[in-house]
């Protein structure tokens, strides 16, 4: 699977002088990749999945791919959203007259290749390799503008993500190999009963904090800093690739390295649930105070990611299912919100929420899609976010984790407090003469098309959740 976007990278570079061909190559590659992932998901034999071995650096330690349910869900989401984000990028990058567009599309394709490698990894070694490739391949996207602010954001991005992965995650992997003798993802976990709970507790904390892409506080600053990047990059960071790779890693480690039952028995799990709950509430409170459109969405993402981390730490199937579902549900809702923020910036040249009064009457399609994404993030039916929150609340109630229940309830209220005033102001407040929107109408067609598709998907998944539900149920053993 990673080969398709890598070939697309070569095609993008080769067609540098022909923008239409360059972007057609990217879209076609995205469609092919999604078709391959769908074919794999439809034909896999769960009792005997095929393993593709790339190399074996040490006996028993291989670079290998094996499809499993959670990985396939991640791969389906990322491969579906890649061509849609490309269509959006055509409208955004051209309208905003961004420079270095070939570099942008090439780095984007490499990052999708890394995501496919992460999603289909057979063990932690393979996942770690592609995790680091993802960090490095997205750095040019974060620093795309090339100014001092972008370079500073890039340094924060690399510093936190590489610092946590090398300082904590790599240490956890080496320790796991020493204790368990394997890094292969295994249903029920890899540790024997002889391993001390203290050792397991330290290891679990190292895995959680070592996965900096999950943006658990205090290792979250890279995510708001990265908002200097173009909006399609923000969409990539928040919905398609980077943050999802982080929470995917935590969930995969909890299910296939530790096992849900082991997580339930560790006292440190309660502590990590508390850290995730604190991240959820604090990030939501910070989002409420942000006037910058993308900054508010960034802190919203920090909050929403910890729903998944918290679900993984509950030590119960419902929590893991809710976390797995939230990977997909959050992806569609949040990418819609970022698409809308970018549409407003490109068309109306507005980046502050306080400047959006009345814009819904000029951009009804865009702000209508924003309303759908916002309601999904809040967790109101009939939109996707309700389903994953339902399972997460159910898991928290079953384990009597009242901190988790309280965090979900409080953050849901805060979600409504920082999203719905935007919708209200856009449609029901009079345009502020001081921040006139001019004579513009809707955003360019590629942008409107992309945000319409993701907004519709946010509703359709609520009514047809069969595929993600089946996959996450299979993840916890059916």
């Amino acid at each position: 699977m990673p080969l398709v976007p890598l070939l697309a990278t070569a095609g993008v570079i080769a067609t540098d002088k022909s923008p239409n061909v360059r972007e057609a190559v990217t879209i076609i590659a995205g469609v092919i990749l999604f078709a391959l992932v769908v074919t794999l998901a439809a034909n896999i034999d769960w009792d005997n999945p095929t393993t593709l071995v790339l190399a074996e650096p040490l006996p028993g330690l291989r670079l290998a791919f094996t499809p499993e349910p959670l990985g396939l869900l991640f791969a389906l989401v990322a491969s579906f959203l890649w061509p849609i984000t490309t269509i959006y990028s055509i409208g955004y990058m051209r309208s905003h007259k961004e420079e270095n567009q070939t570099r942008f599309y090439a780095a984007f394709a490499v990052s999708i290749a890394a995501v496919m490698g992460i999603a289909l990894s057979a063990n932690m070694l393979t996942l770690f390799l592609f995790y680091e490739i993802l960090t490095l391949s997205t750095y040019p996207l974060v620093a795309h503008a090339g100014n001092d602010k972008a370079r500073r954001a890039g340094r924060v991005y690399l510093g936190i993500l590489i610092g946590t992965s090398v300082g904590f995650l790599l240490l956890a992997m080496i320790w796991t190999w020493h204790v368990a003798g394997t890094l292969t993802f295994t249903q029920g976990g890899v540790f024997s009963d002889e391993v001390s709970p203290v050792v397991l507790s330290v290891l679990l904390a190292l895995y959680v904090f070592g996965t900096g892409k999950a943006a658990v506080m205090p290792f979250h600053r890279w995510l708001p800093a990265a908002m200097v990047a173009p909006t399609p990059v923000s969409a990539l960071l928040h919905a398609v690739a980077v943050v999802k790779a982080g929470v995917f890693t935590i969930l995969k480690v909890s299910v296939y390295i530790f096992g849900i039952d082991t997580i339930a028995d560790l006292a440190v799990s309660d502590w990590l649930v508390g850290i995730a709950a604190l991240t959820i509430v604090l990030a939501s409170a910070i989002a409420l105070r942000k006037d910058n459109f993308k900054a508010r969405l960034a802190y919203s993402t920090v909050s929403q990611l910890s729903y998944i981390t918290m679900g993984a730490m509950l030590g119960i199937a419902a929590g893991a299912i809710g976390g797995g579902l939230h990977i997909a549900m959050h992806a569609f809702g949040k990418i819609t919100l970022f698409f809308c923020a970018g549409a407003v910036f490109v068309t109306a040249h507005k980046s502050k929420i306080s400047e959006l009064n009345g814009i819904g009457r000029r951009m009804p399609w865009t702000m209508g899609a924003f309303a759908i994404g916002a309601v999904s993030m809040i967790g109101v039916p009939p939109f996707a976010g309700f389903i994953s929150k339902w399972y997460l609340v159910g898991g928290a109630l079953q384990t009597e984790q009242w901190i988790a229940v309280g965090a979900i309830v409080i953050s849901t209220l805060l979600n409504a407090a920082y999203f719905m005033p935007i919708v209200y102001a856009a449609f029901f407040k009079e345009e502020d003469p001081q921040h006139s929107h001019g004579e513009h109408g809707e955003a360019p067609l590629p942008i409107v098309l992309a945000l319409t598709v993701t907004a519709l998907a946010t509703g359709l998944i609520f009514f047809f959740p069969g595929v993600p539900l089946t996959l996450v149920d299979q993840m916890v053993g059916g």
Side-chain angles (χ1 to χ4, degrees):
M1 297 293 178
L3 188 60
V4 174
L6 288 178
L7 291 173
T9 305
V12 165
I13 295 171
T15 56
D16 177 37
K17 303 301 182 182
S18 303
N20 291 338
V21 178
R22 174 191 66 201
E23 289 147 13
V25 166
T26 308
I27 293 171
I28 291 169
V31 172
I32 291 171
L33 179 62
F34 180 64
L36 289 174
V37 176
V38 170
T39 302
L40 176 62
N43 294 287
I44 191 169
D45 179 3
W46 291 117
D47 295 325
N48 188 30
T50 302
T51 298
L52 174 64
V53 179
L54 303 179
E56 191 167 358
L58 292 172
L61 194 62
R62 304 180 298 178
L63 292 173
F65 296 131
T66 299
E68 53 79 33
L70 182 63
L72 277 177
L73 177 61
F74 186 25
L76 283 168
V77 171
S79 60
F80 178 79
L81 290 176
W82 181 27
I84 294 172
T85 306
T86 301
I87 292 170
Y88 179 89
S89 299
I90 293 170
Y92 183 95
M93 302 296 280
R94 292 189 181 186
S95 297
H96 204 235
K97 296 179 173 59
E98 292 279 354
E99 297 181 355
N100 302 311
Q101 292 189 30
T102 296
R103 185 184 69 191
F104 168 87
Y105 287 108
F108 208 116
V110 174
S111 69
I112 295 296
V115 168
M116 292 298 110
I118 292 169
L120 300 176
S121 295
N123 53 54
M124 272 305 302
L125 176 65
T126 310
L127 190 152
F128 182 80
L129 173 65
F130 283 97
Y131 182 99
E132 298 294 76
I133 292 172
L134 180 59
T135 301
L136 297 174
S137 63
T138 48
Y139 169 76
L141 297 172
V142 172
H144 180 83
N147 54 34
D148 289 341
K149 187 176 180 180
R151 285 192 288 269
R152 282 196 302 272
R155 287 194 293 270
V156 171
Y157 183 80
L158 285 182
I160 293 178
L161 294 188
I162 292 181
T164 51
S165 64
V166 173
F168 301 142
L169 186 58
L170 182 60
L171 174 61
M173 289 167 52
I174 294 170
W175 198 348
T176 300
W177 172 259
H178 175 73
V179 171
T182 183
L183 293 176
T184 300
F185 295 122
T186 306
Q187 189 75 45
V190 300
F191 296 108
S192 67
D193 294 337
E194 287 75 33
V195 181
S196 164
V198 174
V199 170
L200 291 176
S201 295
V202 175
L203 277 172
L204 184 58
L206 285 172
Y207 275 113
V208 170
F209 291 113
T211 310
K213 290 184 175 73
V216 175
M217 288 182 174
F219 301 112
H220 68 288
R221 285 182 52 249
W222 65 268
L223 203 158
M227 291 304 97
V228 300
T231 301
V233 177
S234 302
L236 170 76
L237 293 173
H238 288 260
V240 184
V242 179
V243 296
K244 292 303 184 297
V247 289
F248 168 82
T249 298
I250 288 179
L251 190 54
K252 192 150 180 170
V253 164
S254 70
V255 174
Y256 296 115
I257 295 296
F258 286 85
I260 293 174
D261 292 339
T262 300
I263 296 283
D265 292 337
L266 295 177
V268 74
S269 300
D270 294 338
W271 181 70
L272 292 171
V273 166
I275 294 293
L278 187 65
T279 300
I280 289 169
V281 175
L282 285 181
S284 295
I286 294 171
L288 187 62
R289 299 173 55 200
K290 294 295 180 180
D291 188 37
N292 182 277
F293 208 164
K294 286 174 65 177
R296 183 170 294 193
L297 295 180
Y299 277 100
S300 169
T301 297
V302 173
S303 174
Q304 294 280 335
L305 291 177
S306 279
Y307 279 81
I308 301 168
T309 300
M310 191 169 67
M313 295 301 108
L314 289 176
I316 192 170
I321 289 172
L325 287 173
H326 208 60
I327 288 177
M329 307 312 180
H330 176 264
F332 286 98
K334 187 51 66 69
I335 201 169
T336 301
L337 297 179
F338 270 103
F339 280 175
C340 294
V344 169
F345 181 70
V346 162
T347 308
H349 311 295
K350 300 291 192 299
S351 59
K352 293 184 177 180
I353 293 165
S354 57
E355 300 172 345
L356 301 184
N357 291 357
I359 200 168
R361 291 190 286 276
R362 294 181 180 270
M363 304 179 71
W365 210 255
T366 295
M367 295 313 297
F370 182 89
I372 291 173
V375 171
S376 182
M377 288 295 94
I378 295 167
V380 177
F383 299 103
F386 172 79
I387 300 176
S388 50
K389 278 196 174 183
W390 179 267
Y391 277 94
L392 288 167
V393 170
L397 288 171
Q398 288 180 54
T399 54
E400 297 184 351
Q401 286 279 10
W402 306 117
I403 291 177
V405 174
I408 294 172
V409 171
I410 293 169
S411 69
T412 297
L413 295 174
L414 289 171
N415 291 167
Y418 63 69
F419 278 136
M420 297 318 294
I422 300 175
V423 178
Y424 177 80
F427 286 107
F428 300 107
K429 283 191 175 182
E430 291 300 320
E431 186 175 316
D432 185 351
Q434 190 176 1
H435 303 294
S436 174
H437 302 311
E439 299 301 322
H440 70 81
E442 274 293 356
L445 180 60
I447 292 178
V448 174
L449 179 62
L451 61 86
T452 300
V453 171
T454 56
L456 285 174
T458 300
L460 287 173
I461 294 175
F462 176 86
F463 293 102
F464 305 101
V467 171
L469 271 173
T470 300
L471 289 172
V472 293
D473 187 56
Q474 187 75 30
M475 171 188 70
V476 297

